[in-house]
Amino acid sequence: MAGTRAEIVSSAERVFDRHGFAGTGMDRLCEAASVSTRTLYKHVGSKTGLMAAVLESRMSRFFERFDVHSIEELFEALETWVAAEGARGCLFLRAQGETGGLTPEVSAVVAEYHRRLLELARRVIAEETGRPDEVLAEQLLVLFEGATSAAPYLGAGAISSARSAAVNLTRQAR
Amino acid sequence: MAGTRAEIVSSAERVFDRHGFAGTGMDRLCEAASVSTRTLYKHVGSKTGLMAAVLESRMSRFFERFDVHSIEELFEALETWVAAEGARGCLFLRAQGETGGLTPEVSAVVAEYHRRLLELARRVIAEETGRPDEVLAEQLLVLFEGATSAAPYLGAGAISSARSAAVNLTRQAR
DNA sequence: CCCAGTGTACAACGTTCGTTTTACATGTGG
DNA sequence: CCACATGTAAAACGAACGTTGTACACTGGG
């Protein structure tokens, strides 16, 4: 089959997201991908390798969907994402927490994700206000992270709260 | 010994925080508490029971240290907390994520924590502005959650960003 | 036609999991 | 001084862990 590895990775993403990384065994991952143990190992090497592949794949999908240029677009994209994938907290933070930051393959992807996320916040602020503003960018990042973290228990209201806060802060700074 | 259970719970909190819940075995928890397997089980019943006890204990300590009445105090308390305990993300969110929300004993404590946290945000906003403001309270909560989540990779700057954002939003609303 | 690639099933590796059992030491209070 | 609560050590439970080995079935292209 052509997309065997892709199927392994995407089904693993779903299972990891729903049941945690350490809490999920290889059996369950094989079953979710409808693939034998041997095949899974041929494609991803190890559980750690699978985790890294999952995060890598999620990062690509994330930044495709968050190719935004304004605050409104940013939080609208987050609402769409949550509506489609559910709100269970940031998978990158969860991976880092579960591994204790002791798994280089995982930490590397998480670090890159955070670098790109900060870069995205900077870009949005620059395009929104017409000039770079490091403080505002960091505030936007904190609001985004907060919305992601609070959405599991506050619901979509967390996202609209974050959006209005970001809008107000930006207007105020102008 | 008198505080055996307390010692078990507090050492477990450290280990869970550093290595994750599912990723930590009972052996390691016994070793951390300098206690036999049998004793640990007598005191906390099960791993799930230990997790719930850890979260319960942390919740008490948290709300003792966060008995604050202004935004400045709130984020100052967070800075103190992070300086003392390190920034590895919210342990309640991590517990909920690792269990997939399928462990009632854990979910119950997490839910109570979130209820009290929202209540704290409401109170701080009311005392700060002189009247209740649900929107502002939720924004403050999102900022607090965001600071907690971003601190592991942004450092203490995440907290000061959140504080200044909260201050600005509140001033603006007045 | 056959070879290489890609998949399968299945058992087993040694380790660690969470949990329980058995047997024994300690010190404190009635 | 006995009883009891509370602790210890060490071994074992069955199950699940991540991982590897062996052996076999299908497929497409030269």
Side-chain angles (χ1 to χ4, degrees):
Chain A
M1 198 177 299
T4 303
R5 198 192 124 104
E7 173 58 28
I8 291 172
V9 171
S10 86
S11 63
E13 180 181 339
R14 219 167 15 246
V15 181
F16 278 148
D17 187 31
R18 257 176 258 270
H19 297 86
F21 292 89
T24 302
M26 299 304 278
D27 291 2
R28 175 130 50 159
L29 295 165
C30 291
E31 194 192 331
S34 299
V35 137
S36 74
T37 315
R38 214 65 186 84
T39 301
L40 190 147
Y41 271 89
K42 279 213 181 108
H43 281 285
V44 297
S46 65
K47 190 185 191 183
T48 300
L50 179 54
M51 290 173 55
V54 161
L55 294 176
E56 204 114 32
S57 146
R58 171 171 269 239
M59 178 165 57
S60 293
R61 199 156 38 88
F62 178 89
F63 284 108
E64 270 171 31
R65 291 235 233 150
F66 282 80
D67 182 18
V68 297
H69 300 84
S70 74
I71 290 175
E72 293 288 352
E73 276 176 23
L74 176 70
F75 288 100
E76 191 190 316
L78 183 56
E79 257 164 8
T80 306
W81 177 280
V82 162
E85 318 228 359
R88 267 172 294 272
C90 172
L91 196 63
F92 297 89
L93 290 177
R94 290 169 56 196
Q96 189 74 351
E98 291 205 38
T99 58
L102 303 171
T103 313
E105 300 177 67
V106 168
S107 294
V109 189
V110 172
E112 194 196 341
Y113 168 77
H114 286 144
R115 198 180 42 71
R116 292 179 63 181
L117 193 61
L118 178 55
E119 182 186 294
L120 172 61
R122 287 203 190 100
R123 206 186 65 217
V124 166
I125 289 297
E127 298 200 24
E128 183 93 29
T129 69
R131 61 175 154 70
D133 186 325
E134 190 62 24
V135 172
L136 217 45
E138 205 167 284
Q139 289 175 336
L140 178 60
L141 180 55
V142 167
L143 282 168
F144 186 85
E145 203 77 75
T148 306
S149 298
Y153 64 95
L154 278 188
I159 303 176
S160 35
S161 288
R163 172 180 40 222
S164 64
V167 167
N168 287 354
L169 286 170
T170 308
R171 182 170 37 216
Q172 189 172 340
R174 195 138 32 189
Chain B
M1 198 175 300
T4 303
R5 197 190 125 103
E7 173 58 27
I8 291 172
V9 171
S10 87
S11 63
E13 180 180 340
R14 218 168 16 244
V15 182
F16 278 148
D17 187 31
R18 258 177 254 271
H19 297 85
F21 291 90
T24 301
M26 300 303 278
D27 292 2
R28 178 133 44 159
L29 296 164
C30 291
E31 193 192 332
S34 299
V35 138
S36 73
T37 316
R38 195 73 226 279
T39 301
L40 190 147
Y41 271 89
K42 273 209 185 119
H43 281 286
V44 298
S46 66
K47 190 183 189 183
T48 300
L50 177 55
M51 290 173 54
V54 161
L55 293 176
E56 205 113 33
S57 147
R58 172 171 269 240
M59 177 163 59
S60 294
R61 200 155 39 87
F62 178 89
F63 285 107
E64 271 171 29
R65 293 234 233 147
F66 282 81
D67 182 19
V68 296
H69 300 84
S70 73
I71 290 174
E72 293 287 354
E73 276 177 22
L74 175 69
F75 287 101
E76 190 190 317
L78 182 55
E79 256 164 8
T80 307
W81 177 280
V82 162
E85 318 227 359
R88 267 172 294 272
C90 172
L91 197 63
F92 297 90
L93 289 177
R94 291 169 56 196
Q96 188 74 349
E98 291 206 36
T99 58
L102 303 171
T103 313
E105 299 177 69
V106 169
S107 294
V109 189
V110 173
E112 194 195 343
Y113 168 78
H114 285 143
R115 199 180 41 71
R116 290 179 64 180
L117 192 61
L118 179 54
E119 184 186 293
L120 171 61
R122 287 202 189 100
R123 204 187 62 217
V124 166
I125 288 297
E127 298 200 23
E128 183 93 29
T129 69
R131 61 174 153 72
D133 186 325
E134 189 62 23
V135 171
L136 217 45
E138 204 166 286
Q139 288 175 338
L140 178 60
L141 180 54
V142 167
L143 281 168
F144 186 85
E145 203 77 77
T148 305
S149 298
Y153 64 96
L154 278 188
I159 302 174
S160 35
S161 289
R163 173 180 39 221
S164 64
V167 167
N168 287 354
L169 286 169
T170 308
R171 182 170 39 212
Q172 188 172 339
R174 196 140 31 189

